[in-house]
Amino acid sequence: MSETPVRETRTAKRPTKTQIAWLRRGLSEPGGKLPLFNDQGQRVNDRMVRSCLEHGWAEPWFENPLKPNWLVCKLTDLGRKAVNGSP
């Protein structure tokens, strides 16, 4: 008896509500700059930022000389599409 091959289907990953809220803040900023802090003044979660980088929704913009371990990022075209619900 031969096994039926399993076909892997890839679905486009969508940002979470938290990621969308963060990415949307870049829509109104010059160059698409994404904030380092949330609306409550807390630093944004590094794992969330790295996840957005891995999915191509954000990209590193420049290094912060005062805080070299902080990622200063900007919104990508793919990030704009993800926020607007485009495939």
Side-chain angles (χ1 to χ4, degrees):
M1 181 188 273
S2 66
E3 292 184 39
T4 305
V6 178
R7 285 183 24 185
E8 185 177 326
T9 58
R10 289 182 70 129
T11 57
K13 174 81 171 145
R14 300 248 181 215
T16 65
K17 289 179 184 180
T18 303
Q19 291 169 327
I20 289 171
W22 183 65
L23 293 167
R24 276 197 177 133
R25 292 183 63 196
L27 293 172
S28 60
E29 291 296 321
K33 182 185 179 292
L34 292 164
L36 296 173
F37 299 93
N38 65 19
D39 293 330
Q40 291 79 37
Q42 300 292 318
R43 194 158 160 231
V44 295
N45 185 299
D46 283 340
R47 287 188 301 172
M48 188 263 313
V49 173
R50 292 189 189 285
S51 177
C52 288
L53 290 170
E54 289 171 8
H55 286 94
W57 302 322
E59 64 185 9
W61 197 358
F62 62 87
E63 291 186 25
N64 184 340
L66 299 176
K67 298 284 186 178
N69 58 331
W70 287 15
L71 287 169
V72 179
C73 299
K74 66 179 180 175
L75 191 62
T76 64
D77 288 337
L78 188 59
R80 290 176 199 282
K81 289 177 185 176
V83 167
N84 292 325
S86 299

